[in-house]
């Protein structure tokens, strides 16, 4: 295993010659440390069958099956499939997932610690992931916004981005919406997390899932506060030139792991409908989402 810190403005650590079949627990501990501190770790030249990919996830934490079965890999429900491939046997997974700023499972009772993302088929054009480091975003907030978020909590729901299932066609939309509220009720998290491994303060909001901010007594704060935070962190910038945004593109064999507490992300899909497919395994770790409620 050989680690290189990227020298350009890309975040992250590149890892060559990683072979999970022979990796020691020290290797894994070192990689976990780099995910927590450098946020993105790219394992190069990986050739893993679905079961081995899930095994890799188990080295880093506890893999969690996505709550909605239409995303599952037909051989292994711990793999989430994003795919627009046409197969004789039909669709597997869901096309063009995650094209909006979010953290995986931010709307669930136990958001993931790490996301492992493993493209299987890349288009000729760009396929990548855009990221924002929300610890950096927090640091860069104006004193006014830092003060305004202190002691507040935020509410998160998947409702705006839940995909219509084939089995929901012809169902009344009101019933479908009621199901979403029942299956994925909103979650409340501190607006500023404290990273349990690094102690960093993280602005824990996303354009896709966060819909309200409340003070410590449960009173709603003006929607302009959420808008200002989304704007300041770079999530409303349609040109993607905001200094907080960085992009990770993929080469065949790349397997990327990231810190899903600190980073929000959005898929950069190729605008053409060229065939593209990627697998994802998401894991929890032994820590709570936040070490403490930041004052
Ligand atoms: O279809 C998708 O883009 C999935 C998204 C709503 N959730 C991903 C996650 O893990 O939170
Ligand atoms: Fe995602």
């Amino acid at each position: 295993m050989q680690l290189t810190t990227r020298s350009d403005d890309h975040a992250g650590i590149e890892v060559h010659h990683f072979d999970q079949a022979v990796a020691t627990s020290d290797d894994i501990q070192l990689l976990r440390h780099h995910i927590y501190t450098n946020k993105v770790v790219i394992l190069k030249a990986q050739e893993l069958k679905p079961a081995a990919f899930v095994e890799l996830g188990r080295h880093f934490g506890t893999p969690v099956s996505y709550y909605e079965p239409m995303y599952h890999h037909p051989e292994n429900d711990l793999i989430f499939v994003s795919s627009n491939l046409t197969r004789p046997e039909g669709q597997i997974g869901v096309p063009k997932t995650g094209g909006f700023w979010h953290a995986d499972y931010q709307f669930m009772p136990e958001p993931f610690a790490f996301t492992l993302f493993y493209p299987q088929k890349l288009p000729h054009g760009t396929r990548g992931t855009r990221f924002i480091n929300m610890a950096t975003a927090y640091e860069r907030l104006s004193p006014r916004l830092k003060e305004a978020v202190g002691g507040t909590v935020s509410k998160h729901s998947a409702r705006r981005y839940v995909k219509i299932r084939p089995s929901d066609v012809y169902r009344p939309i009101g019933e479908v919406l009621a199901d979403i509220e029942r299956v994925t009720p909103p979650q409340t998290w501190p607006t500023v997390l404290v990273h349990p491994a690094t102690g960093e303060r993280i602005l824990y909001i996303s354009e896709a899932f966060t819909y309200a901010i409340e003070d410590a007594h449960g009173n709603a704060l003006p929607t302009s506060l959420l808008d200002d935070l989304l704007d300041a962190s770079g999530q409303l910038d349609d040109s993607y030139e905001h200094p907080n945004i960085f992009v990770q593109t993929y080469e065949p064999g790349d397997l990327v792991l990231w810190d899903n507490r600190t980073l929000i992300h959005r898929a950069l899909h190729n605008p053409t409908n060229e065939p593209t497919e990627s697998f994802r395994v998401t894991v929890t770790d032994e820590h709570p989402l936040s070490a403490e409620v930041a004052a």
Side-chain angles (χ1 to χ4, degrees), residues 80 97-100 102-105 115 209 258 260 265-267 280:
F80 170 112
T97 64
F100 37 78
H102 69 288
D104 293 331
Y105 260 28
T115 295
F209 297 151
W258 71 76
N260 186 58
H265 61 282
R266 71 183 284 159
R280 173 187 110 171

Side-chain angles (χ1 to χ4, degrees), residues 66-67 70-71 80 94-100 102-108 112 115 158 161-163 209 265 280 282:
Y66 199 72
Y67 77 101
M70 81 173 161
Y71 293 83
F80 170 112
V94 175
K96 298 205 172 177
T97 64
F100 37 78
H102 69 288
D104 293 331
Y105 260 28
Q106 189 174 33
F107 56 88
M108 284 295 228
F112 308 122
T115 295
Y161 286 95
V162 173
K163 304 298 191 304
F209 297 151
H265 61 282
R280 173 187 110 171
T282 41

